[in-house]
Amino acid sequence: GYVLEGAFSNVFFEENDTLYFMDPSLPYYEGLTQERLIQSSKKVDFVKITPDELKGKRLFTCNSLKGVIKGIL
C-alpha cells in the first residue's frame, strides 16, 4: 500500500529542492501545517509512494502542535 499519514501527522519528503506530499486523491486528512507548507513552498509535487520507495529520502512529518519534524524510515 501507499504511505498516507502518521497517527497524528502528515508525511512528506524533500528531493532536489522539491517538497513531495502524498497525492490528494488518496484517503488521508490534509492538515493545516501541510497546507501552509504547500502554499509557502516554491516547488511542490504530489505522489503515491510506498514505504520501500521512501527509504533513503529526506523524510519529514508535520502537525499543528509540533511543527515539522525530521523523520526516520
Side-chain angles (χ1 to χ4, degrees):
Y2 296 117
V3 173
L4 300 177
E5 59 192 353
F8 300 101
S9 60
N10 292 111
V11 177
F12 66 98
F13 66 94
E14 186 271 333
E15 188 173 66
N16 299 323
D17 296 325
T18 301
L19 295 182
Y20 291 88
F21 295 90
M22 302 310 113
D23 190 310
S25 69
L26 295 170
Y28 73 95
Y29 176 74
E30 186 178 327
L32 295 173
T33 303
Q34 175 178 309
E35 184 179 322
R36 289 182 181 143
L37 287 168
I38 291 169
Q39 292 173 354
S40 65
S41 297
K42 292 181 181 180
K43 291 183 178 180
V44 174
D45 204 353
F46 299 92
V47 294
K48 293 180 181 178
I49 193 164
T50 66
D52 286 340
E53 293 171 324
L54 271 179
K55 289 180 182 172
K57 299 196 183 302
R58 293 188 60 203
L59 179 66
F60 299 89
T61 62
C62 64
N63 68 37
S64 295
L65 182 62
K66 299 214 176 196
V68 176
I69 301 169
K70 186 172 182 182
I72 299 172
L73 181 64

